[in-house]
Amino acid sequence: MYQYDQYDQAMVDTRVAEFRDQTARRLDGRISEEAFRPLRLMNGLYLQLHAYMLRVAIPYGTLSGAQMRLLGDIADKYDRGYGHFTTRQNIQYNWIKLSEAPDILADLATVEMHAIQTSGNCIRNISADQYAGAAADEITDPRPYAELLRQWSSFHPEFCALPRKFKFAVIGSETDRAAMRLHDIGIQIVRNAAGELGCAFYVGGGMGRTPMIAPLINAFVPLDQLITYSEACLRVYNRYGRRDNKYKARIKILVHELGKDEYTRQVEAEFAHLLTQNIEPPLAEFARIKAFFADPAFDPAAPDAMPNGDPAFLRWVKANTAAHKARGYAIAVISLKPAGGIPGDASADQIRTMADLARDYSFDEARVTHTQNIVLPHVRKADLFALWQKLVDADLATANLDSIGDIIACPGLDYCSLANARSIPVAQRISEKFAAPVRQDAIGELKLKISGCINACGHHHAGHIGILGVDRKGVENYQLSLGGSEGADCSLGTITGPGFSEDGIVTAVEQVTEVYLAQKQGEERFLDTYRRIGMAPFKEAIYG
Amino acid sequence: MVEPQLRFRDDAPVDSPAIGLADFTAGSNVAAVRIEAGEDARLLLPHLASLRLVEIVFPAFTDGRGMSAARVLREAGYAGELRAVGAVLVDQLAAMRRCGFDAFAPAKPLDAKDAEAALARWGIVYQSAADGVRPIWALRHAAAG
């Protein structure tokens, strides 16, 4: 894992002092709320329906045990005893006092953490493949690239008042587990014909009210030009992105309106100019960062046989583990989606338990996924049973990864001031309805995603089943869409038709799964069946 | 004409008002020009040697286009005064200095002590910009080499 040196530490310490000063000036009236708003947002502090919400950055979703433990302690000390893991691989606390926010940042700084640029119209936390450094199918670990981008983008003076927020994702595998092409910039590390590593740049993806899949604008940016190329992409956006309409201000609109070719031409011209400015960190800096992400000391003698035993354990192994690159190891995922629970929530005790498990079973490392679960990336297969037993004791052993119960949901109208409808109760009712293991297993892989408004924080466009909450004449109404996907086969869902009440949407989801089970051929997943048979049979079942 | 509240230059200020970009590029030979947000600072590049003051207007503190305009001019070698005009707040001064501004004419006067503290706060930086400050990566590798 990356570790701060004196410079990194000085940056977060300075930030704590700066935000303490800004908060003091806000509290004594020297800064107006209007002027304070972008300052607090650039530090992840939102004013929600009931209180301030603080979003803490977890760069590329990677955490040490000590960092995880502190997140649990913050939940106890400053919040109501729980935290909420987000689709940006971050964590949010929903009940924060403004006067205490600087103290939380000071606590975070003691374990090399911060809340820098977790909100606001700036470059946000860089996300990455949650299985980075562990996945069997990886070309290279994307996190050193993400860390290089993190440092470059932190307090970038030119890009602190962009037209809108800006999100990067970096992957290093052919399999896309980070919804890379649904980001403002998605970077895939690739190898060229000469065997060198470089970056494929996909620019202008996003969800929100106008979802778009990012086009490829450069298939191979050499590694020692990554920062310069990123700067060129951002400069063109900062200068020409729309500022007249908040809903047309994301880079996807600029790329769409200019056309991919014209945007690319402008970026290439800016890039040629910026290459003369020597803004690129040397490869020695990349090498320094990369050294922190070296493999942990895997035991070459670790037994490779999957342990046998309790059927509930075997079911969890099948659902919640993935192939590891090292013999004798597995990637284990802790689901934060118990039936009837709030997706992504964990209590302070659970967070501390996960910190202990990361330390004891996974080389002191954990990951947050964009699907709001926690990964223990490097677990010996021989330890899986002991790990599972501890998860059972902590109510963390739900075996439902990528199944219909593994729902992504935004905070919705229960917390969020932008929401039109509640997301959490819908997620709770659906996960309860499909809680029976037999039923869940019959349905298999089915990614269900719920957003409480058009901003799409719950990624509903990319759900095999997507649910969007809207306000219809003062009543919550839910639109259903089918056929979205966030992976390498990225696609956007199609709306089935008129929306539903809260009861109606739960019934409609059930009907959709029944059509799938009746029509499925062989090993088809829900998405495969939908793509083969199309919308009509589903429509007929739910409206007919 | 707008008097800067803060100015970090030793030369004498230009004493004539800045004119708009359209008038300037139409053939004026004054030494002071004003760029509104959304205007292309690169149109000034053929004239940099004769310019002594460029005012860049910030219509709202949430509008960062002027940051890119400033860097574009500095990267092209402009050495005259670069003045941020309009919605300029205390907490933006440090980033503006980094982008190449060396004078500030905020629409609402800034608290002098707060401004001084804000400008003094960031001793080290992560990235190259227009202020010539060596970024952290350069410090790291100078120390190692």
Side-chain angles (χ1 to χ4, degrees):
Chain A
M1 272 189 60
Y2 187 71
Q3 283 169 7
Y4 283 8
D5 64 4
Q6 85 241 37
Y7 300 114
D8 298 306
Q9 190 65 46
M11 291 302 279
V12 296
D13 290 344
T14 303
R15 181 52 165 173
V16 173
E18 180 182 54
F19 193 67
R20 203 180 280 290
D21 174 58
Q22 290 169 343
T23 303
R25 283 185 281 131
R26 171 70 198 112
L27 290 171
D28 72 16
R30 273 180 287 167
I31 310 184
S32 68
E33 170 54 25
E34 187 199 4
F36 184 58
R37 190 172 173 274
L39 302 179
R40 64 172 164 75
L41 286 179
M42 281 188 73
N43 223 55
L45 197 63
Y46 283 76
L47 190 53
Q48 294 289 53
L49 286 177
H50 313 292
Y52 281 98
M53 177 272 276
L54 179 69
R55 182 182 295 150
V56 174
I58 302 175
Y60 34 89
T62 296
L63 284 165
S64 70
Q67 290 174 328
M68 183 72 103
R69 191 165 299 107
L70 186 86
L71 294 179
D73 292 345
I74 286 173
D76 269 341
K77 194 168 160 190
Y78 301 101
D79 201 281
R80 296 185 176 178
Y82 57 92
H84 177 78
F85 290 96
T86 78
T87 57
R88 293 286 311 152
Q89 302 178 290
N90 293 321
I91 187 169
Q92 296 178 181
Y93 299 101
N94 283 314
W95 303 95
I96 296 302
K97 293 188 192 74
L98 174 59
S99 58
E100 291 183 342
D103 298 330
I104 303 176
L105 299 186
D107 287 0
L108 288 168
T110 64
V111 292
E112 305 181 2
M113 292 185 82
H114 58 77
I116 296 161
Q117 290 167 213
T118 53
S119 179
N121 293 336
C122 53
I123 301 170
R124 302 287 189 88
N125 185 38
I126 314 288
S127 59
D129 185 348
Q130 65 252 19
Y131 295 168
D137 65 346
E138 186 167 89
I139 295 174
T140 189
D141 190 332
R143 292 173 302 165
Y145 301 80
E147 175 61 24
L148 198 67
L149 288 164
R150 182 191 76 83
Q151 296 190 24
W152 160 74
S153 61
S154 294
F155 312 108
H156 196 298
E158 187 177 340
F159 306 132
C160 49
L162 294 168
R164 202 71 178 83
K165 58 188 169 184
F166 204 95
K167 300 173 178 180
F168 277 80
V170 191
I171 65 170
S173 298
E174 202 49 52
T175 309
D176 178 8
R177 286 170 287 258
M180 179 270 290
R181 293 184 70 189
L182 294 170
H183 284 74
D184 297 285
I185 293 185
I187 295 174
Q188 182 177 7
I189 313 303
V190 293
R191 223 178 258 292
N192 67 8
E196 299 154 333
L197 290 173
C199 306
F201 267 69
Y202 293 84
V203 182
M207 296 199 235
R209 66 180 61 204
T210 318
M212 290 193 190
I213 297 170
L216 179 69
I217 72 155
N218 190 320
F220 192 85
V221 175
L223 178 51
D224 59 356
Q225 298 176 344
L226 165 63
I227 295 302
T228 308
Y229 201 82
S230 300
E231 186 130 334
C233 291
L234 264 295
R235 178 174 287 177
V236 172
Y237 171 56
N238 190 43
R239 298 187 79 204
Y240 298 112
R242 285 180 61 171
R243 292 174 187 266
D244 59 324
N245 180 341
K246 177 181 170 187
Y247 300 112
K248 296 187 186 296
R250 295 285 290 270
I251 194 173
K252 63 191 172 189
I253 304 292
L254 177 69
V255 173
H256 182 72
E257 289 183 353
L258 286 177
K260 178 196 87 156
D261 293 342
E262 174 57 19
Y263 174 76
T264 306
R265 188 193 65 74
Q266 293 189 18
V267 168
E268 293 291 334
E270 196 67 61
F271 177 57
H273 160 69
L274 285 170
L275 283 173
T276 68
Q277 297 294 312
N278 301 317
I279 62 170
E280 189 78 29
L283 279 174
E285 173 63 0
F286 180 75
R288 184 192 74 87
I289 292 171
K290 194 173 164 66
F292 288 107
F293 294 95
D295 282 345
F298 295 126
D299 175 7
D304 198 47
M306 265 298 179
N308 218 326
D310 190 315
F313 166 64
L314 294 179
R315 192 168 170 277
W316 177 83
V317 167
K318 187 159 182 265
N320 288 37
T321 64
H324 197 284
K325 66 181 184 183
R327 195 174 179 279
Y329 287 80
I331 299 169
V333 184
I334 301 171
S335 168
L336 298 182
K337 317 289 179 63
I342 297 176
D345 267 22
S347 71
D349 285 337
Q350 286 178 324
I351 295 172
R352 283 185 291 254
T353 296
M354 293 191 286
D356 292 343
L357 296 175
R359 179 196 60 203
D360 297 342
Y361 293 105
S362 184
F363 294 94
D364 204 31
E365 195 176 323
R367 311 281 176 77
V368 183
T369 76
H370 83 275
T371 54
Q372 305 178 281
N373 294 314
I374 302 297
V375 173
L376 300 181
H378 311 298
V379 181
R380 284 164 61 108
K381 287 180 181 171
D383 286 339
L384 284 171
F385 187 69
L387 169 66
W388 175 76
Q389 287 177 308
K390 292 191 173 162
L391 291 172
V392 170
D393 291 343
D395 287 329
L396 288 169
T398 308
N400 65 355
L401 198 70
D402 293 337
S403 80
I404 191 165
D406 185 10
I407 297 169
I408 292 184
C410 71
L413 197 52
D414 290 297
Y415 294 98
C416 179
S417 53
L418 301 173
N420 297 122
R422 291 166 304 146
S423 309
I424 292 170
V426 175
Q428 289 172 314
R429 289 186 57 183
I430 293 172
S431 67
E432 275 170 350
K433 184 145 220 132
F434 291 94
V438 175
R439 194 166 191 197
Q440 200 150 118
D441 291 350
I443 295 168
E445 181 186 310
L446 201 169
K447 299 185 183 184
L448 194 150
K449 304 177 198 277
I450 308 174
S451 304
C453 81
I454 195 76
N455 289 314
C457 298
H459 298 185
H460 65 278
H461 299 298
H464 299 173
I465 296 179
I467 296 174
L468 168 64
V470 296
D471 175 287
R472 218 165 132 237
K473 297 178 184 139
V475 180
E476 289 163 295
N477 188 266
Y478 296 92
Q479 290 179 353
L480 184 66
S481 59
L482 304 177
S485 172
E486 64 201 353
D489 60 348
C490 200
S491 59
L492 301 170
T494 305
I495 295 174
T496 55
F500 303 89
S501 67
E502 187 183 326
D503 288 336
I505 191 71
V506 178
T507 307
V509 167
E510 194 166 30
Q511 287 163 334
V512 165
T513 61
E514 281 160 8
V515 172
Y516 159 63
L517 290 173
Q519 301 264 4
K520 129 182 216 195
Q521 290 181 356
E523 294 302 300
E524 274 183 346
R525 303 168 303 160
F526 170 82
L527 184 64
D528 304 322
T529 303
Y530 170 81
R531 284 176 174 167
R532 179 172 55 79
I533 68 176
M535 178 65 89
F538 294 98
K539 259 181 124 151
E540 200 182 306
I542 51 185
Y543 298 108
Chain B
M1 80 180 261
V2 192
E3 287 291 335
Q5 183 190 347
L6 296 167
R7 192 166 185 274
F8 300 88
R9 297 182 64 88
D10 298 329
D11 57 349
V14 177
D15 57 6
S16 57
I19 67 166
L21 182 66
D23 290 340
F24 179 82
T25 49
S28 170
N29 61 356
V30 299
V33 64
R34 167 180 286 221
I35 304 178
E36 304 291 337
E39 291 182 331
D40 184 3
R42 287 205 162 105
L43 296 175
L44 292 179
L45 297 195
H47 313 285
L48 294 184
S50 62
L51 281 170
R52 288 177 52 215
L53 169 65
V54 178
E55 294 182 352
I56 294 179
V57 178
F58 287 81
F61 57 77
T62 50
D63 188 332
R65 283 178 285 188
M67 300 299 216
S68 289
R71 276 193 73 185
V72 160
L73 293 175
R74 289 301 189 209
E75 286 167 3
Y78 174 65
E81 179 175 335
L82 200 48
R83 188 183 294 176
V85 175
V88 175
L89 304 182
V90 161
D91 293 282
Q92 296 168 319
L93 291 174
M96 287 179 165
R97 285 287 279 150
R98 296 220 61 216
C99 288
F101 288 102
D102 54 12
F104 301 92
K108 249 175 79 180
L110 309 177
D111 180 291
K113 260 183 72 187
D114 290 343
E116 197 185 343
L119 282 165
R121 187 174 304 281
W122 291 95
I124 53 171
V125 296
Y126 269 130
Q127 60 296 96
S128 286
D131 56 352
V133 174
R134 297 174 73 212
I136 286 170
W137 51 256
L139 302 177
R140 279 178 180 139
H141 296 281

